[in-house]
Amino acid sequence: MERCDPRVAASRGALSLLEELGLSSGIIGLGTGSTVTAFIGEARRYLGKFKGVVASSLDTALRAAGAGLRVLDPRVYRGVDVYVDGADEVELRSGAMVKGGGGALLGEKIMARASSLNVFIVGADKVVEVLGARRPVPLDVEPLYLSMTVRVLESMGFKAKLRSGAPGKRGPVVSDWGGVIVDVETGPISDPAALERELELVPGVRASGIFTGLADYVVVGYDDCGWRVFKFARRG
Ligand code: 5RP
């Protein structure tokens, strides 16, 4: 039996879905991470049909430019026609996700909200029964009052930890958008939408890694090279 990297299988599935939907013009938004990198590799010719790419991070912008694609300034465009991104955890019951493993959650969330169609691509290992049981939820936090924001989060009962240990950088991980990445341990999340709201109401939190109501489609890739497409009713 043929074996595949599940991220490549999901990328092929997304490409076939987007072609089926007849989407190959306008502006495409791209998230960040190894699955998006696989998508750029698999879909390079297809991506070239778009007017250009708006990237959610410098990493993706450089990869897209390296693939010969035209990279557009995110400050200028009011939205994208389609947005493709990965995720760290996905709950297939609702399409809710945890994102931000690559620290790019702020740009990712803004673009997913301002996109006409969102397709998330994941390997099967990212599918979970309940979000939050395996890994913390990333937050992009205003740096100036960082310690006060962390204290408020702790007073709400969360264990909050500044992300650090990025190769070549001492101290906290600072996002491309100037925020400090704070990982909060939530434990299993019974109501992702409520927790997303609660976290984003904390002054100083610019975005939480909980993404609810934003998926139109989730494409899950498997190591036998197959994929499955899941459709959701988008709310945001
Ligand atoms: C980056 C993200 C990524 O989509 C998420 O971390 C998944 O990454 P990968 O495709 O490398 O597993 O949210 O901020």
Side-chain angles (χ1 to χ4, degrees), residues 64-77:
L69 302 169
R70 192 206 278 195
V71 178
L72 305 173
D73 187 335
R75 288 172 300 187
V76 173
Y77 291 88

Side-chain angles (χ1 to χ4, degrees), residues 7 32-36 85-88 99-105 108 126:
R7 294 168 296 187
T32 300
S34 59
T35 317
V36 169
D85 197 357
D88 299 303
K99 289 186 43 54
L105 61 153
E108 292 173 341
K126 302 291 186 67

Side-chain angles (χ1 to χ4, degrees), residues 7 31-38 56-57 83-89 98-106 108 120-123 125-126 135 138 163 181 209 211:
R7 294 168 296 187
T32 300
S34 59
T35 317
V36 169
T37 301
S56 65
S57 64
Y83 177 66
V84 178
D85 197 357
D88 299 303
E89 290 189 339
V98 172
K99 289 186 43 54
L105 61 153
L106 179 66
E108 292 173 341
F120 291 91
I121 49 178
V122 293
D125 56 309
K126 302 291 186 67
R135 49 184 302 148
R163 191 182 295 177
I181 302 299
F211 282 47

Side-chain angles (χ1 to χ4, degrees), residues 10 15 18 27 37 44 64 67 91 97 128 141 158 168 174 176 213 225:
L15 179 57
L18 292 170
I27 297 169
T37 301
R44 188 171 161 168
E91 196 182 83
M97 287 166 282
V128 296
V141 172
F158 300 112
V174 178
D176 286 357
C225 303

Side-chain angles (χ1 to χ4, degrees), residues 10-25 28 39 42-50 82 84 117 119 217 219 227 229:
S11 299
R12 290 181 187 159
L15 179 57
S16 135
L17 170 70
L18 292 170
E19 285 178 332
E20 222 170 87
L21 294 172
L23 288 162
S24 58
S25 62
I28 185 160
F39 181 72
E42 291 297 313
R44 188 171 161 168
R45 194 128 49 93
Y46 166 78
L47 290 169
K49 296 181 183 171
F50 286 83
V82 55
V84 178
L117 187 99
V119 178
Y217 293 95
V219 183
W227 63 78
V229 176

